Amino acid sequence: MSGRLYIVPTPVGNLDDMTFRAVNVLKEADLILAEDTRTSGVLLKHFGITAPMRSHHKFNEHEEAPRIAERVLAGEKIALISDAGTPGISDPGFMLGRECVRLGADVECLPGATAFVPALVASGLPCDRFVFEGFLPPKKGRATRLSLLSADSRTVVIYESPKRLQRTLRQLADSFGGERRACVCREISKLHETYHRGTLGELSNYFEMNQAKGEIVIVIEGCDGKVSPVKNEEL
């Protein structure tokens, strides 16, 4: 009898964001695949989950995906988690899911936490149509990608590290125009969650003087967006 691959979102910050269903799936799994077993070990211990766990990350997923998919076909219930959020969204997971689908194994993704959705909804920018880019190319193709996105009428959502934030904001202001409205969302669902709203020019200047920390989501108004000015008391 065929098993199943469960793709299980985990909290991006507050552990209370974990769903009852996610906890139950992880407790009943024959094996839990984790991006970092040390990080996930804290989560599993918090919820009393004792299922076996092993590493599954970007450095071994090419090799491991076919093997794991065969185990699912053989009848095992295997759960995949990343350090935070939904596996496959700027995290390992796509290759394993694709291989299971290719072989005809059951794949089920639980609904749950991901950083870009609360950032988008809380940004004050249109969220009826948007494009999620994840992390921009670090070098090759970066300028081309920025140029294409600058002409997109949809709200643009990207991830960025705090170390590269100011550089990226400066490049966004150059490509999109300094008057384009945006929101820098930091530490979603964590104690120091903050939203910095303003134009790309204002945000670039602000973060040039103020070093950011933590996980970053940048939400940018589309080229044809019609958004009323948002008062920002943080800049």
Side-chain angles (χ1 to χ4, degrees), residues 166-202:
Q166 204 286 319
R167 169 177 171 263
T168 295
L169 287 172
R170 185 174 66 251
Q171 292 175 334
L172 287 168
D174 291 341
S175 297
F176 288 59
E179 295 305 310
R180 188 82 67 93
R181 299 198 64 80
C183 179
V184 174
C185 315
R186 187 179 70 87
E187 295 289 80
I188 297 293
S189 189
K190 297 179 182 177
L191 179 63
H192 300 293
E193 178 176 348
T194 57
Y195 296 85
H196 297 272
R197 303 176 179 91
T199 66
L200 285 170
E202 291 169 341

Side-chain angles (χ1 to χ4, degrees), residues 119-120 122-125 156 158-162 165-166 168-170 172 181-188 192-200 202-204 206-207 210 212-220 232 234-235:
L120 171 64
S123 69
L125 298 169
V156 177
I158 65 175
Y159 287 163
E160 191 50 280
S161 76
L165 176 61
Q166 204 286 319
T168 295
L169 287 172
R170 185 174 66 251
L172 287 168
R181 299 198 64 80
C183 179
V184 174
C185 315
R186 187 179 70 87
E187 295 289 80
I188 297 293
H192 300 293
E193 178 176 348
T194 57
Y195 296 85
H196 297 272
R197 303 176 179 91
T199 66
L200 285 170
E202 291 169 341
L203 291 165
S204 178
Y206 176 81
F207 284 103
N210 297 271
K213 296 181 180 179
E215 302 297 323
I216 305 289
V217 184
I218 307 174
V219 185
I220 310 142
N232 179 31
E234 299 177 65
L235 296 180

Side-chain angles (χ1 to χ4, degrees), residues 5 7 33 56-70 72 80 87-103 105 107:
L5 172 67
I7 299 173
L33 302 175
H56 186 84
H57 44 69
K58 65 180 181 180
F59 300 109
N60 71 358
E61 60 180 341
H62 288 82
E63 180 180 351
E64 287 291 301
R67 300 174 184 174
I68 298 298
E70 291 290 349
V72 174
L80 174 67
I89 304 297
S90 294
D91 277 328
F94 165 71
M95 291 183 183
L96 178 56
R98 179 180 63 183
E99 185 65 11
C100 285
V101 169
R102 187 184 72 83
L103 295 178
V107 177

Side-chain angles (χ1 to χ4, degrees), residues 125-126 128-133 144-158 172 175-177 180-181 200 219-226:
L125 298 169
D128 54 334
R129 297 178 67 247
F130 65 92
V131 55
F132 173 67
E133 280 291 308
T144 300
R145 176 57 55 185
L146 286 171
S147 178
L148 290 172
L149 291 174
S150 70
D152 200 315
S153 62
R154 297 169 294 179
T155 300
V156 177
V157 185
I158 65 175
L172 287 168
S175 297
F176 288 59
R180 188 82 67 93
R181 299 198 64 80
L200 285 170
V219 185
I220 310 142
E221 179 185 27
C223 69
D224 296 324
K226 304 297 182 183

Side-chain angles (χ1 to χ4, degrees), residues 21-101:
R21 183 182 172 202
V23 171
N24 289 333
V25 166
L26 293 177
K27 284 184 175 180
E28 296 172 3
D30 296 310
L31 174 66
I32 297 172
L33 302 175
E35 184 179 5
D36 186 323
T37 55
R38 295 166 298 181
T39 299
S40 295
V42 175
L43 177 76
L44 300 189
K45 182 178 180 180
H46 180 82
F47 289 105
I49 298 167
T50 58
M53 178 175 55
R54 62 186 283 185
S55 296
H56 186 84
H57 44 69
K58 65 180 181 180
F59 300 109
N60 71 358
E61 60 180 341
H62 288 82
E63 180 180 351
E64 287 291 301
R67 300 174 184 174
I68 298 298
E70 291 290 349
R71 293 180 62 172
V72 174
L73 277 175
E76 292 189 62
K77 294 184 293 185
I78 295 181
L80 174 67
I81 59 178
S82 61
D83 289 348
T86 302
I89 304 297
S90 294
D91 277 328
F94 165 71
M95 291 183 183
L96 178 56
R98 179 180 63 183
E99 185 65 11
C100 285
V101 169

